Amino acid sequence: MAIRTLSSVIEQHIAGLPGLIAVLIGRATDGTTVAKVTYVSDSQEEQALERLGTYAGDLVQANSRLCQLVSSDQEADYLLAGTSALRVVIKAFPKSPYFVLLLTRSITDLRAISERIKAILIDGKPLLPPVQDSTMSVAQALMDYAKRYAPDPNFVALRLSLKTGLDRNRLEKGALSRQELRILYKAVADLLGRERLPIAMPA
């Protein structure tokens, strides 16, 4: 008997769906793709899909915070985006940091997409990797976010160290005081040209 994996669950439920480009299951907390099935032709498109998963993770987290502003017990559930040619549909696994993302051409029927996603959510949930107990610190999350979105990610730690006056090794390890966290938050926001970041600071 074949061992079921997240990828095999995806393949089972997307068979025959016209206009499909890719399906991935990702973790919103760090943007990691944990399973993927694609119908792309080259490595450049593969890399673009990895980035899409990363951005989707940020979008799910930001949407969840937005929902909680309206009602504290609400979490992000369903997101739809795209262009006239492409469509991105994201659905979060309930009470979980994981999500399913479908990238399709605009010809793909939304009802069919919804049915496939529901089936993946049901069959895939028992196969999701366990959530790590040791969560990433806020400082590490800020550093990770800066490395993902800064124009030159290889020099982010050095630039933030110079900008904040904090030792580069301390920034990488993430063991910072509350005051140092505020300094780092402002430095990352300035580096990326944003007023606010989708990372919650400790109360």
Side-chain angles (χ1 to χ4, degrees), residues 95-107:
K95 303 190 184 314
S96 161
Y98 293 97
F99 61 87
V100 177
L101 180 149
L102 266 75
L103 175 63
T104 71
R105 293 184 176 81
S106 56
I107 58 162

Side-chain angles (χ1 to χ4, degrees), residues 124-136:
K125 185 147 192 182
L127 302 172
L128 292 173
V131 179
Q132 298 294 325
D133 290 332
S134 56
T135 55
M136 183 186 289

Side-chain angles (χ1 to χ4, degrees), residues 98-147:
Y98 293 97
F99 61 87
V100 177
L101 180 149
L102 266 75
L103 175 63
T104 71
R105 293 184 176 81
S106 56
I107 58 162
T108 313
D109 180 53
L110 270 175
R111 187 177 298 164
I113 292 173
S114 179
E115 288 167 1
R116 308 298 175 105
I117 286 179
K118 282 178 189 171
I120 292 170
L121 291 175
I122 292 166
D123 286 355
K125 185 147 192 182
L127 302 172
L128 292 173
V131 179
Q132 298 294 325
D133 290 332
S134 56
T135 55
M136 183 186 289
S137 75
V138 173
Q140 289 169 319
L142 285 166
M143 292 295 292
D144 184 60
Y145 190 81
K147 286 175 184 175

Side-chain angles (χ1 to χ4, degrees), residues 56-69:
D58 292 336
L59 188 58
V60 168
Q61 288 193 81
N63 193 43
S64 190
R65 279 190 291 279
L66 185 63
C67 291
Q68 288 168 5
L69 285 174

